[in-house]
Amino acid sequence: MEGINIWSGSDIGIGAALTNPTELAFRKNKIKNHYPVTFRGVNFRDAESAYQEYKSPDMQESIEIMTEIIVCKLQQHPRLFEEITKRGGVEWLKRCRHIVGIKNSRWEGYGLESNFILCLVFAYQLCSE
């Protein structure tokens, strides 16, 4: 299956649901559900809120935190995990991109060149074990 752009403005529901700022995607009318996340015992309105609370200036540490948050999201919203699986799992994620239009974003890119897609792949693999 062809990859998609995973971001809050995606017209493809799973693309908007897999991004971290799902409350933004909801406000843009791109998704109909909320995707709150409980991370490290704290409830957040979405994965982006959790990330903003715990992010680090160190990129490697940020990737680890982001992956941990996405694992929580996929476990707490198993339908998202199932949708990735239906589309081809890791191979499908590798064909996706995360382009949101933020200049010099350390998360944007195509496939595994995107740190965000990389975190999605890591999280999906961890949830598959």
Side-chain angles (χ1 to χ4, degrees):
M1 187 172 280
E2 185 179 331
I4 61 172
N5 190 16
I6 297 174
W7 75 297
S8 64
S10 177
D11 288 326
I12 300 168
I14 189 68
L18 285 176
T19 194
N20 279 354
T22 51
E23 283 303 299
L24 178 59
F26 184 85
R27 287 194 309 273
K28 292 178 177 180
N29 293 316
K30 301 299 181 180
I31 53 176
K32 293 178 175 41
N33 297 310
H34 296 279
Y35 294 94
V37 173
T38 301
F39 179 65
R40 297 182 179 172
V42 180
N43 297 325
F44 294 94
R45 60 192 176 117
D46 60 14
E48 183 66 15
S49 299
Y51 176 72
Q52 291 302 321
E53 182 74 21
Y54 289 94
K55 70 182 178 181
S56 166
D58 177 72
M59 192 60 200
Q60 185 56 43
E61 191 175 334
S62 286
I63 286 172
E64 291 169 10
I65 292 166
M66 179 77 77
T67 299
E68 191 180 341
I69 292 167
I70 296 172
V71 165
C72 292
K73 181 177 176 178
L74 294 178
Q75 289 174 338
Q76 293 164 26
H77 302 283
R79 187 179 66 81
L80 297 177
F81 178 86
E82 292 163 12
E83 289 296 321
I84 294 169
T85 302
K86 279 195 319 195
R87 286 167 169 75
V90 169
E91 292 309 310
W92 177 71
L93 288 172
K94 288 179 181 177
R95 291 191 297 275
C96 290
R97 61 200 175 280
H98 183 65
I99 306 296
V100 299
I102 297 174
K103 192 170 177 68
N104 300 320
S105 169
R106 60 188 189 162
W107 298 103
E108 282 193 328
Y110 292 82
L112 297 180
E113 293 176 5
S114 160
N115 285 317
F116 180 74
I117 299 295
L118 187 67
C119 291
L120 267 174
V121 168
F122 289 157
Y124 178 81
Q125 289 172 324
L126 288 167
C127 289
S128 298
E129 294 177 349

